[in-house]
Amino acid sequence: MLNIRYEKTTAPKELPAADNPLKFGTIFTDHMFLMDYEEGKGWHDARIVPYGPISLEPSAMVFHYGQEMFEGLKAYKTEDGRTLLFRPNKNAERANNSNKRLCIPTIPEEDFAQAVKAMVKMDERWIPTKPGTSLYIRPFVIATDPFLGVRPSNRYLFAVILSPVGAYYPEGLNPVKIWIEDEYVRAIKGGIGEAKTGGNYVASLASQVKAHEEGYSQVLWLDGKERKYIEEVGAMNIFFKINGKVLTPELNGSILPGVTRDSVISLCKHWNVPVEERRISVEELYEAGKDGSLEEVFGTGTAAVISPVGHLRFEDHVLMVGDGGIGEFSQKIYDTITGIQLGKVEDTLGWTVE
Ligand code: PMP
């Protein structure tokens, strides 16, 4: 149990206006959680202080070798005024899996959860209430040792910041266009693909820029070795419904194990819908598109929960999914998960934490 020191802001900010679209990741709340790590002392000095710049030496290791980890989850306000987190224990667990891969000291899961809960409670007035809105929570750790040699840092900073975010799809689910990347790769087995760390995202930028220029909203990554098998999207895992079966690439070491992915698989099992985690090739996908057995494609992630895919492109081949509209199954999954998050659908799987 952390002994958190509180320093409340003396200048609370004005909340965003009711008509503010709350563009993702642009507005930050009044406070931030900070905690230091030093070799010998362990994690210490947990504190909630006014949100603001942090001071680091230019030699801090994170600036040079990218030793850092981050997480992303959300808090929701229910109609009856309760505040719910969605499966925060999964994020605490994934944070430590990332930490281990990145040689960052782990954070006890209960301390991670306590830090998140204390911050949400502190800045609760910032949780937006319009349909589809939420409070995005960004925990992260950075290496702070002022040292230019390549080795794991001896000092770290763990921080939690909060950002009110608008509805991903203000007008209801809207199918996206996906570019299947055949030039760059995001991650390879044995690399850092399954860790949530900046390096994976900087590796994706060139491809993302190219896809945007071509009019595509996100990139679908293939395996780094054979460039044949489907891995995941920029910030989402990917699912296919083929011949009544739900398919998603198996976790092979280079894919981020999404919390939403795990939730979709659990719901399928709960509903007795056949679901398979296995290797899926682009060829299999295009064959299913050709013979009419490809029913739905959707991405899963904290930001949008479910993103139906209406159109994919691989090299010069365009694949339209169904009639380009919203699949029945995608809609059902979306309604169920968002319903649980907002306390409107019974949480039979015990996913929310008040
Ligand atoms: N893959 C990547 C690369 C991501 O950044 C994310 C977003 N965290 C996901 C998948 C989906 O994960 P989650 O469902 O936990 O948000």
Side-chain angles (χ1 to χ4, degrees):
M1 174 100 170
L2 298 173
N3 184 14
I4 302 175
R5 174 166 64 81
Y6 284 84
E7 185 194 323
K8 268 197 181 177
T9 181
T10 51
K13 294 183 249 189
E14 211 168 292
L15 291 180
D19 62 351
N20 189 315
L22 304 176
K23 192 168 176 293
F24 180 81
T26 52
I27 299 170
F28 299 96
T29 66
D30 285 323
H31 297 92
M32 60 185 177
F33 173 92
L34 301 176
M35 179 163 74
D36 302 311
Y37 180 94
E38 214 178 302
E39 195 128 291
K41 269 176 112 171
W43 288 109
H44 63 278
D45 197 14
R47 57 208 187 269
I48 287 180
V49 296
Y51 178 91
I54 50 179
S55 170
L56 292 172
E57 293 202 30
S59 53
M61 292 183 78
V62 65
F63 295 137
H64 307 277
Y65 310 120
Q67 199 193 5
E68 73 96 34
M69 172 287 291
F70 70 95
E71 267 302 325
L73 67 162
K74 284 174 169 179
Y76 307 84
K77 213 28 145 188
T78 65
E79 271 173 9
D80 58 1
R82 292 178 302 141
T83 299
L84 298 180
L85 295 173
F86 185 70
R87 311 188 75 189
N89 53 320
K90 295 295 284 181
N91 296 90
E93 188 187 311
R94 186 171 66 189
N96 277 338
N97 288 336
S98 300
N99 283 337
K100 284 176 199 154
R101 178 64 181 85
L102 302 163
C103 298
I104 294 172
T106 56
I107 300 164
E109 282 184 27
E110 58 278 16
D111 293 352
F112 180 100
Q114 188 190 345
V116 165
K117 286 182 197 166
M119 266 306 292
V120 172
K121 191 155 199 177
M122 186 72 174
D123 283 344
E124 199 167 3
R125 70 184 186 104
W126 286 85
I127 308 176
T129 52
K130 268 202 201 157
T133 62
S134 56
L135 186 68
Y136 184 77
I137 305 166
R138 168 56 61 88
F140 62 100
V141 177
I142 54 172
T144 55
D145 232 0
F147 178 60
L148 293 184
V150 179
R151 58 143 170 83
S153 178
N154 290 325
R155 277 172 256 193
Y156 299 87
L157 178 71
F158 173 44
V160 182
I161 56 174
L162 307 175
S163 174
V165 292
Y168 202 89
Y169 293 113
E171 275 103 46
L173 288 179
N174 196 11
V176 294
K177 284 170 75 176
I178 298 272
W179 174 275
I180 304 180
E181 179 58 61
D182 61 351
E183 181 185 0
Y184 302 108
V185 297
R186 171 186 179 272
I188 50 155
K189 232 175 264 188
I192 53 174
E194 66 182 346
K196 202 157 167 62
T197 185
N200 287 324
Y201 297 81
V202 76
S204 74
L205 295 180
S207 173
Q208 191 183 305
V209 168
K210 184 177 71 174
H212 282 177
E213 281 168 4
E214 299 281 344
Y216 286 76
S217 67
Q218 297 216 32
V219 173
L220 179 67
W221 296 104
L222 300 181
D223 78 279
K225 196 171 165 201
E226 295 177 75
R227 314 266 183 113
K228 264 171 72 176
Y229 298 100
I230 292 167
E231 299 236 303
E232 62 181 321
V233 184
M236 293 192 292
N237 295 108
I238 188 93
F239 283 77
F240 307 98
K241 189 156 173 274
I242 298 179
N243 244 342
K245 230 186 241 173
V246 176
L247 305 177
T248 193
E250 67 194 350
L251 298 178
N252 58 0
S254 52
I255 296 177
L256 190 83
V259 177
T260 323
R261 174 187 182 279
D262 184 82
S263 307
V264 170
I265 294 169
S266 300
L267 276 179
C268 287
K269 291 180 179 164
H270 188 66
W271 291 335
N272 287 321
V273 171
V275 54
E276 278 177 23
E277 297 172 67
R278 64 165 170 84
R279 285 210 301 194
I280 302 158
S281 66
V282 180
E283 200 184 336
E284 178 181 355
L285 173 67
Y286 273 70
E287 280 304 315
K290 242 191 253 164
D291 71 19
S293 57
L294 179 66
E295 296 158 16
E296 298 183 34
V297 180
F298 58 94
T300 65
T302 297
V305 184
I306 298 295
S307 252
V309 176
H311 173 138
L312 297 113
R313 175 167 160 190
F314 179 59
E315 296 168 344
D316 288 331
H317 314 289
V318 168
L319 173 61
M320 300 298 290
V321 183
D323 58 5
I326 315 296
E328 209 175 295
F329 188 73
S330 312
Q331 186 73 52
K332 182 177 171 186
I333 287 271
Y334 177 82
D335 291 343
T336 306
I337 296 181
T338 54
I340 292 172
Q341 288 167 339
L342 293 171
K344 288 181 179 166
V345 168
E346 197 193 345
D347 182 12
T348 41
L349 293 157
W351 282 341
T352 54
V353 173
E354 198 162 335

